[in-house]
């Protein structure tokens, strides 16, 4: 099991009435299965996990497992309470997840000290039947990753790595240089995928891998092959699309970019708002530019 | 129904093993019933709602309703999705809540524009069988309250007011001056309770009303009676306790301060950490100082 | 010497070519002399002190002293280095300032610990021939005021008070409750002038006192007379103008609001941009509303 | 003239009484002259420019010019007013600076829109007798760099590049991909020097080049030679020293690290505080580790 390579945080398509569109989800999985991806993440931030109930979450894990029986399948299982995370982790593993990605709890941010987070992740890892990956995404949680925490947790036998989504390459560098090689750090911010690889990331769990997987995979392959010039060119070609998705339109924009690439983004779930028609005009050439880079 | 006066956001006591201690919760309700409070809030931030599952939430609402059949009972029902909030709102109303307090969704913070929040609160209010109060607490959500939103929502017949917990008195002033008198704004930050009353708050939903209810109620009564000198003296006496609870120890500190006042705070639920022994030594004189101010 | 009452932080009018317009400055002083103000501040943030050279600064102090020989005259003398602040403080006192207002140094923000600031203010006060007032304005400096610092500095015989411009009423409360009565705290944020007076502020050093001095003075007088209803009504009438000046247009807007009130705002100095024509249309009714409140 | 390579932002040594120690400054210049550096910056943030008066600033420029008549010499000349920056730029050029580095004005942060900054930099460049480099350092200014501004300014014939010190590699990438090749972007944050080079930086203006110039130059040379493995190893060896200097101790720590490397750091100027004795013990092995990496 390894985060090496590119993993899409799968989106969760909804119908216009807000119900889960499992068939669109399955169609996307089939379409993405042959694109050279290293694995698949369900129930991440881009999967709108925050707005799903438990039944829906487990249905998504089970569907992914059923369709892709031999591929690496990660599931996001972080809740606000330790017991809630443990319970969901066990159910997700039962439903077929190979490993779990556990978000930092963050509602009581000022109380989420390095000590509180350490005890939290250790308790979850102690109870988890599958490997645990740490997940930090300050843009959503408002919680910066504490210095030194990754290195402390890396000694736990069931904590296998981290998805670092802040986009702060110096943080990623410092984490990588503080942990043993078996602890893999994956970049969760496509704005810095190539620089993060240079800084020691094992791979990327990247939203745009849902819509332009070939380009993202090609970037990673170029890096692995030592072709820095090509890796940087693809990174540069991805930037406008990544900026539009990450900064301007969010998941709603990502879903429209998927439509353009022949997948089925579906609606977002309220209170998220669907992307305005203008977004389509803006996104179309950016998707094309990213695809042409390969 | 009115937020006028003082309302404690009831804590949720847990046993040492992290399970819900409903009997401690009920004991607290009985102890607080005769203290001149204007009503009670269950499932607020200080009630650790973020770490409760739905069954526990509804058990707390039902218990409070059963013990205090004729008192104002608010329940916090905000979830990350519109449909989730509506579902919980209906169940809480069925379980006996007179009104609901609805937190701003906040995980996808950059997408929670004024427009998205307006549509969210309107959809919840449209579907709610009981009055809806808006709830903004940027210290936990990382989401500032957008200018103009309260005034837009105040025209909805089922949106009755707002709990404003930022501590930004100028925001509270501006909200108060932008809404009709029927829309009540309650102060959710005890550091500024007296100044907020001066600025037009109808009352306060205040954590320290769990442990020193008499002092908080006396402050409000002094203000209503026009005795600004006494109101300000009580505010000043409350400050050190409020600072310690809000800034240094959080809910864990509040629970220990409740023990000192003869209530049953109980444990916090992990990943929150119980207050260190030193906290008790620090809190004891602050509770005493607050109580002596009356 | 006292900050009790209302003090305008005088604007510095410039000609269209960016040169200092001392005659406009003097005309404003004459116009403001009889409005019941408690004193005058030159070289504050609203006086664009950051963009003035030393010669200009001293010319402004000297002009104010000459025109208003018997009125309280404060001068802003904070520089980034201790020696620079001391040198300017001595020159401002020589030029006629009765006291100085000393901004927190802030360029090296992460190094400006409570200890560094304490030593800074003590060194300045030790060397100053006139009383020193502390000045904190995080909106410009990016530096929050450290807890406990005011109370430590209040024991210095030449440190007489503080201008607190964050708008955080709870901070002002805590400072007031931690210092002896001789140490006066003045509110520097008109969004919260009335709540700040309730919380113990001695008065206000407020930009809008440049353009609607009568209303601001009337608010203070109402408060002193115990007429909280009137004080709150005037505060509410001031809010839209204060918001427009503080949030939307800054000093450039304040200068146009002064023109409307018959004073001479003059141009701002680049890189500040003059207010767009639309600002005038927006400001005019807000100035009128504030004046009508009296 | 080019930012390609490594440029130290020279520290300004002071005597214990706070006066400028020009002989220590000159000794450092002589020691650094033969270390393969691409040029030298005086009056940067690490040169404590914020606390220097004009006479001192020009003395430093003149001394550097005199000692290094043929080497690239940059001078920091940003002031808060456009006219102030223009005046100092001309004097610095007269004193021998080959180019100037112009910091974003930042006191009136909310007014420093992209438009205000564009007009500012254009006015400075129009008036400057030498090439102008833009300088953004949000850790000190509190002002993020606006999207699109670099690309607009890159068309000015006298604006030659930018020092980007935020450490945000994605911003650097986006700037690089939006400007013509003649516009050079230099990395001003050693935490990300190697990733920034990968992302297209021309070189680095880096504090640690004052104390471990050989390691920083070797990192750049390895990158230029395509030896990414070596570049990354040196980056990793630099990290602990850079973290200690940038995060824990600032300029005061940098000066002590210079002493360890045989240079003359001197005292910092108040209100900055000299590094505590414990800092020396912490820094010594970090300097050694960085030097050993070469």
């Amino acid at each position: 099991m390894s985060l090496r390579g590119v993993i899409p945080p799968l989106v969760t398509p909804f119908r216009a009435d807000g119900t889960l569109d499992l068939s669109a989800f399955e169609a996307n999985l089939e379409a993405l299965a042959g694109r050279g991806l290293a694995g698949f993440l369900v129930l991440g931030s881009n999967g709108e996990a925050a707005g799903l109930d438990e039944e829906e979450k487990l249905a998504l894990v089970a569907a992914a497992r059923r369709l892709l029986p031999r591929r690496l399948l990660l599931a996001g299982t972080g809740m606000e309470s330790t017991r809630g995370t443990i319970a969901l982790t066990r159910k997700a593993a039962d439903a077929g997840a190979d490993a779990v990605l556990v978000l930092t709890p963050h509602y009581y941010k000022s109380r989420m000290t390095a000590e509180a987070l350490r005890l939290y992740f250790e308790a979850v890892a102690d109870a988890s039947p599958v490997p645990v990956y740490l997940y930090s995404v300050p843009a959503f949680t408002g919680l910066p990753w504490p210095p030194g925490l990754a290195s402390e947790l890396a000694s736990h036998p069931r904590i296998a790595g981290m998805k670092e989504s802040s986009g702060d390459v110096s943080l990623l560098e410092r984490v990588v240089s503080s942990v043993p090689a078996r602890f893999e750090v994956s970049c969760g911010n496509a704005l810095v995928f190539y620089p993060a690889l240079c800084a020691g990331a094992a791979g990327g769990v990247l939203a745009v891998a849902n819509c332009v997987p070939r380009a993202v995979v090609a970037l990673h392959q170029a890096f692995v092959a030592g072709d820095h010039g090509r890796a940087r060119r693809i990174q540069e070609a991805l930037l406008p699309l990544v900026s539009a998705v990450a900064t301007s339109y969010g998941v709603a924009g990502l879903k429209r970019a998927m439509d353009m690439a022949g997948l089925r983004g579906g609606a977002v779930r309220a209170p998220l708002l669907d992307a305005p028609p203008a977004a389509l005009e803006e996104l179309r050439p950016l998707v094309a530019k990213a695809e042409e880079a390969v």
Side-chain angles (χ1 to χ4, degrees), chain A:
Chain A
M1 187 176 309
S2 167
L3 300 183
R4 206 153 293 277
V6 175
I7 294 174
L10 295 167
V11 305
T12 303
F14 297 99
R15 298 193 194 85
D17 66 357
T19 55
L20 184 61
D21 187 349
L22 209 54
S23 66
F25 177 75
E26 293 171 346
N28 292 338
L29 272 178
E30 281 170 4
L32 291 169
R35 305 291 177 93
L37 297 160
F40 299 85
L41 168 67
V42 290
L43 311 181
S45 299
N46 282 287
E48 298 177 60
L52 297 171
D53 64 30
E54 188 180 287
E55 193 182 348
E56 293 169 328
K57 288 180 178 180
L58 297 175
L60 289 160
V61 175
R65 180 74 302 162
R66 192 172 58 242
L67 278 167
L68 302 173
R70 291 154 207 274
R71 303 293 295 277
L72 173 64
L73 179 61
L74 303 173
T77 57
M79 303 288 284
E80 279 294 329
S81 73
T82 308
R83 58 195 290 126
T85 300
I86 289 172
L88 186 58
T89 293
R90 288 175 170 155
K91 290 174 186 170
D94 283 349
D98 297 313
V100 291
L101 188 68
V102 178
L103 181 68
T104 51
H106 53 275
Y107 189 74
Y108 301 100
K109 350 187 114 44
S110 66
R111 305 268 82 80
M112 290 300 103
T113 57
E115 175 72 356
L117 291 172
R118 185 177 64 74
L119 291 168
Y120 170 76
F121 283 116
E122 287 176 354
V124 171
D126 284 348
S128 173
V130 292
V132 168
Y133 291 95
L134 316 174
Y135 177 23
S136 173
V137 57
F140 294 137
T141 63
L143 191 69
W145 184 255
L149 180 58
S151 128
E152 284 187 287
L153 290 170
S155 64
H156 192 292
R158 212 140 42 232
I159 298 181
M162 177 175 183
K163 179 184 177 196
E164 204 301 288
S165 298
S166 73
D168 177 348
V169 178
S170 83
L171 171 61
L172 191 142
E173 270 180 343
R174 280 172 287 171
V175 169
V176 168
S177 76
S178 75
V179 294
R182 62 164 276 281
F183 183 99
E184 292 179 329
V185 182
S186 184
C187 170
N189 189 316
L191 288 171
V192 293
F193 185 34
Y194 165 60
L197 290 170
C198 295
V205 180
L206 300 167
V208 288
N210 279 292
C211 55
V212 292
R214 246 183 338 176
V216 188
V217 169
L219 192 167
H220 182 255
Q221 289 172 337
F223 174 81
V224 170
D227 189 346
H228 283 261
R230 175 167 158 84
R232 202 188 135 202
R233 277 192 304 278
I234 302 176
Q235 174 72 47
E236 197 167 333
L238 286 171
L239 277 182
L241 175 62
V242 173
S243 292
V245 166
T247 310
S248 309
Y249 300 114
V251 179
L254 176 62
K255 287 183 162 182
R256 292 295 70 74
M258 288 175 70
D259 295 346
M260 290 167 199
L263 289 97
R264 295 174 58 185
V268 291
R269 182 167 267 182
L272 288 175
L273 300 178
D274 282 311
L280 273 73
E281 298 320 303
E282 186 182 337
L283 289 167
R284 197 173 306 277
L286 307 185
V287 171
K289 180 177 177 176
E291 285 176 339
E292 282 157 21
V294 187

